[in-house]
Amino acid sequence: MADIDLSPDLDRFVEKQVRTGRFRDAAEVVTAGLRLLEQSLADEPDHRKTLLTAIVTAFDDPRPGLPAKEVFERLEDRHARRSRGGREP
């Protein structure tokens, strides 16, 4: 394995993962992180395609759009309810 330098924060994170017994050593932690990165990068084209399809669908929707003021009011109301611990409908 390559010798790598980690930031102090990442070094502490790796040490914690080993200390908790989740991983045998630092190499396993790094390998798990690299596998997640590899999967994330592999999935990226699919995510982009899904997002682009949703955007095109929204632009092609014949229904009238909502005024920005109304959208922001709804978002602010939703945030206020969640902040108070209320449930979403």
Side-chain angles (χ1 to χ4, degrees):
M1 181 172 142
D3 186 24
I4 59 172
D5 291 321
L6 298 174
S7 69
D9 288 343
L10 288 176
D11 194 49
R12 282 190 296 274
F13 176 78
V14 170
E15 288 175 2
K16 181 179 179 183
Q17 298 309 305
V18 174
R19 211 173 34 252
T20 62
R22 180 173 282 166
F23 298 93
R24 280 183 293 162
D25 54 33
E28 279 192 356
V29 178
V30 172
T31 299
L34 289 172
R35 284 193 176 128
L36 286 172
L37 175 60
E38 182 180 46
Q39 184 62 51
S40 176
L41 293 174
D43 291 344
E44 194 173 281
D46 291 336
H47 293 301
R48 286 179 187 261
K49 184 178 178 183
T50 300
L51 181 58
L52 181 59
T53 299
I55 291 169
V56 169
T57 300
F59 277 116
D60 290 343
D61 190 339
R63 296 175 294 179
L66 295 174
K69 182 179 179 184
E70 183 177 339
V71 172
F72 283 107
E73 286 173 353
R74 287 182 184 185
L75 287 172
E76 288 170 352
D77 288 345
R78 174 182 272 182
H79 176 69
R81 284 193 306 275
R82 285 186 175 182
S83 296
R84 290 189 307 265
R87 299 253 179 205
E88 286 297 308

